[in-house]
């Protein structure tokens, strides 16, 4: 008897917009060598740092504050 197909139906690795901000308001994270920079939608630098997670979290918090104004 043949085994069940091993084709995966898991889509857990897809990138979904799960943030609080609209897609157009989310900051852009760019890697510069060992540093990460976060820019807002106008291209203004929000934060520059070595840890991507810290840069991402701070940039998201700042963008949320700026979006609510």
């Amino acid at each position: 008897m043949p085994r069940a197909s091993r084709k995966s139906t898991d889509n857990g690795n897809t990138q979904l917009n799960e943030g609080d901000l609209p897609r157009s308001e989310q900051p852009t994270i760019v890697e510069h060598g060992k540093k990460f920079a976060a820019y807002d939608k106008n291209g203004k630098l929000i934060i520059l740092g070595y840890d991507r997670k810290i840069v991402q979290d701070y940039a998201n918090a700042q963008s949320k504050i700026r979006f609510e104004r």
Side-chain angles (χ1 to χ4, degrees):
M1 184 166 202
R3 291 185 175 187
S5 174
R6 294 187 179 240
K7 292 182 181 177
S8 176
T9 59
D10 181 26
N11 292 331
N13 198 16
T14 58
Q15 296 180 356
L16 300 175
N17 184 12
E18 298 176 358
D20 296 336
L21 296 168
R23 188 79 167 160
S24 63
E25 297 291 330
Q26 290 182 347
T28 303
I29 308 297
V30 180
E31 183 177 1
H32 296 286
K34 294 182 179 180
K35 296 179 183 175
F36 293 94
Y39 298 94
D40 64 4
K41 68 175 185 174
N42 298 324
K44 183 177 177 186
L45 179 68
I46 299 173
I47 185 173
L48 183 65
Y50 289 100
D51 189 356
R52 181 183 175 97
K53 181 162 176 33
I54 292 173
V55 169
Q56 182 78 45
D57 292 344
Y58 182 82
N60 285 340
Q62 289 298 312
S63 294
K64 188 175 179 182
I65 291 169
R66 292 177 186 180
F67 181 69
E68 289 175 355
R69 287 184 188 174

